[in-house]
Amino acid sequence: MTVATRNNPIELAHEVATVLAAHAVAVDEQGVFPEASMQALKRSGLMGLVVPLEYGGLGGSYQTMVQVIQRLSSACLSTGMIWAMHCQQVATLVDHAPLELRQRVLPQIADEGMFVASVTSEREKGGHLLTAYAPVLLDGDGLLLLRDAPVVTGGAFGDGYLMTMRASAESPPSEVVLVFAERAQLEIGIQAGWSALGMRGTQSIGMTLKGHLPKEQLIDPPGGFAQIAVSTMIPVGHIAWAASWLGAAQGAFEQMIDVFRDPKARQGFNLQSDLFAMRLAEVRLQIDTVRAYLQQTVREYDELLNAGGVYNPALRSPHFSIQINNLKLLASDMLFNAINQLVQLSGLRYGYLKNPRVSLERTFRDLRAASLMYSNDRLLVANGKLALLDRDIVSV
Amino acid sequence: MERTARMPDQRFIMMVRNHLKYLKPGAALALDQPLKLLGLDSMAAVDLLLDIEDNYGITLPDTYLTEETFSTIQALWLVVENLTSNLEIKG
């Protein structure tokens, strides 16, 4: 590997994507965590993409993160999603962890490829991000932790975990803190498997985590967890999710274009009919719409961060919340629709059957999860209410 | 009549309490207690806003639609009281 390649995340992503593509079918069919693909990501240095240079990472921007997610997800959406969510955790550590914790953990992510899994779901509340029920208990100089989570993406394979916890046994569920733990510090129990329609490689299992941790692993900055959520976790999360779905849709679309451009393969399709052209155009339009909204959102998020950092009050505004939620709503609905229409256009052989040349059938199943992950219903309710507060939508 | 020194009325306090999902029924609620921790997230704040506007026949101007306004009963009452007093004067 040349030095240039070593430092260019996009080139690295292209290289690693070939490994992801090689394992994508087996990962999906067997419903197993993509271990070989994750090993390739760890070897590549990409686990540290959003780790700043000073900690040995690649210091990648969110723009670059989005490009890498798209490339990886076009090869295997499960792996792309696991990596995307890892980036969300790392960005949270970079932005909000106390210095000592950053100095300890970020180099491990960059050098050793530590995979940080996200533990935010809970039986009592489902996926709601801003509350937590299991409390952190103070135990001498440390923290005592017992956490039950019904859905943890890649949970069994985490090298580290970032968990939402209730601040104390006396605190209401709205008083949330983040706790970081390394795998070796925890006793881990796997409670439930993941046998799903799609996103089968994410192995989003149910698990329990138990451990005794030093106090330094508590992340509770000024403004509390709400500050972490609005400034980093929610925007980076929805940007990363949208990028992964977009990459998968783009990948399937490209594969079908290859089919349509192949004179042998395209027999049976009437490419010169207006109907074919119109249907193809509609799919492309939806993919491009999501891409444009994603790019615009990343640009605005970067501008807000550049102008005022993670404490920029504009990040807490209804306007920005609506936009971030819109990105998730738009990407999840529109890309599934686009792929559904592409299935229709591509017919049984390429669209519905497992086909070695085209992963449309898998992409259709995978993208069905998009509107269910942090349910669109919940986000629509939130946006409807917030819209009442955000009357001035002309000027930004 | 002294306008700003008035205490929030019972109706107002009940209205706020109804939107605090983590406040136990009958539990004490101080005027300066942070409402966010008691469950008044931004969604709940919008519902409370609508209740207040319906009950007092007012529309809170956009400049008051801030986290600060909804931070405590005290802060919220100050805004509502000012707006309702203005109505009385105008009426």
Side-chain angles (χ1 to χ4, degrees), chain A residues 78-379:
Chain A
S78 282
T79 313
M81 177 60 74
I82 292 166
W83 186 80
M85 291 183 67
H86 163 81
C87 287
Q88 180 199 27
Q89 308 316 303
V90 178
T92 302
L93 288 166
V94 170
D95 286 350
H96 303 284
L99 182 64
E100 203 184 323
L101 187 59
R102 289 206 304 273
Q103 287 174 333
R104 200 183 93 205
V105 176
L106 295 181
Q108 289 187 65
I109 295 169
D111 299 340
E112 298 157 29
M114 172 192 267
F115 161 47
V116 184
S118 162
V119 182
T120 58
S121 67
E122 218 165 0
R123 269 168 231 291
E124 291 86 343
K125 56 147 196 166
H128 187 253
L129 183 65
L130 294 169
T131 52
Y133 284 82
V136 176
L137 303 171
L138 289 178
D139 177 34
D141 278 347
L143 313 167
L144 199 60
L145 173 125
L146 177 58
R147 182 70 159 79
D148 195 0
V151 184
V152 182
T153 293
F157 294 85
D159 304 312
Y161 298 88
L162 206 49
M163 294 165 272
T164 52
M165 303 284 298
R166 188 149 58 103
S168 73
E170 293 74 40
S171 307
S174 49
E175 207 175 334
V176 178
V177 291
L178 268 183
V179 177
F180 173 80
E182 285 173 44
R183 186 184 189 86
Q185 296 174 309
L186 296 171
E187 244 177 80
I188 287 174
I190 306 300
Q191 290 182 320
W194 173 256
S195 179
L197 174 69
M199 303 300 290
R200 290 168 55 80
T202 62
Q203 285 300 299
S204 302
I205 51 145
M207 62 192 304
T208 51
L209 309 105
K210 209 186 325 182
H212 189 258
L213 307 167
K215 262 187 185 155
E216 293 71 37
Q217 292 180 206
L218 187 74
I219 304 170
D220 188 21
F225 181 69
Q227 175 61 39
I228 298 176
V230 297
S231 63
T232 308
M233 267 190 132
I234 296 174
V236 177
H238 286 330
I239 286 169
W241 281 4
S244 66
W245 300 324
L246 177 62
Q250 287 169 322
F253 187 79
E254 276 179 30
Q255 289 174 330
M256 276 316 297
I257 295 296
D258 284 345
V259 169
F260 296 141
R261 293 301 307 278
D262 177 347
K264 269 192 203 145
R266 71 178 174 230
Q267 285 173 10
F269 295 102
N270 185 356
L271 266 67
Q272 295 186 37
S273 77
D274 286 353
L275 183 62
F276 178 92
M278 286 162 67
R279 284 182 166 175
L280 190 63
E282 278 175 11
V283 175
R284 174 68 190 253
L285 174 62
Q286 293 175 88
I287 291 172
D288 283 358
T289 302
V290 172
R291 189 174 52 140
Y293 199 84
L294 172 62
Q295 283 175 345
Q296 176 61 19
T297 304
V298 172
R299 214 165 18 240
E300 282 187 32
Y301 180 48
D302 277 340
E303 280 168 14
L304 292 176
L305 291 175
N306 289 335
V310 290
Y311 283 92
N312 185 341
L315 292 166
R316 306 179 75 96
S317 67
H319 189 89
F320 187 66
S321 299
I322 289 172
Q323 172 157 7
I324 287 294
N325 292 344
N326 273 347
L327 172 63
K328 196 272 167 176
L329 289 163
L330 189 77
S332 57
D333 275 345
M334 205 171 256
L335 294 170
F336 178 70
N337 277 342
I339 290 304
N340 191 22
Q341 288 172 15
L342 190 57
V343 167
Q344 187 68 32
L345 178 62
S346 305
L348 273 175
R349 181 172 168 203
Y350 290 104
Y352 197 72
L353 303 181
K354 286 185 196 295
N355 184 305
R357 186 165 175 178
V358 177
S359 58
L360 200 44
E361 173 268 344
R362 185 179 81 236
T363 306
F364 176 85
R365 285 186 287 107
D366 284 348
L367 282 179
R368 185 61 191 85
S371 65
L372 299 169
M373 294 168 65
Y374 211 87
S375 169
N376 281 11
D377 291 345
R378 182 187 295 160
L379 289 174

Side-chain angles (χ1 to χ4, degrees), chain B residues 1-46:
Chain B
M1 193 195 295
E2 271 200 49
R3 281 165 37 202
T4 48
R6 268 199 300 196
M7 293 289 284
D9 57 46
Q10 223 31 54
R11 178 173 65 137
F12 181 81
I13 290 174
M14 282 313 295
M15 220 178 287
V16 177
R17 288 187 75 108
N18 284 340
H19 293 279
L20 304 178
K21 58 182 169 234
Y22 301 130
L23 179 70
K24 294 194 178 79
L29 174 61
L31 298 183
D32 59 353
Q33 220 168 318
L35 298 179
K36 192 167 234 173
L37 291 182
L38 296 170
L40 195 75
D41 55 20
S42 50
M43 308 300 106
V46 175

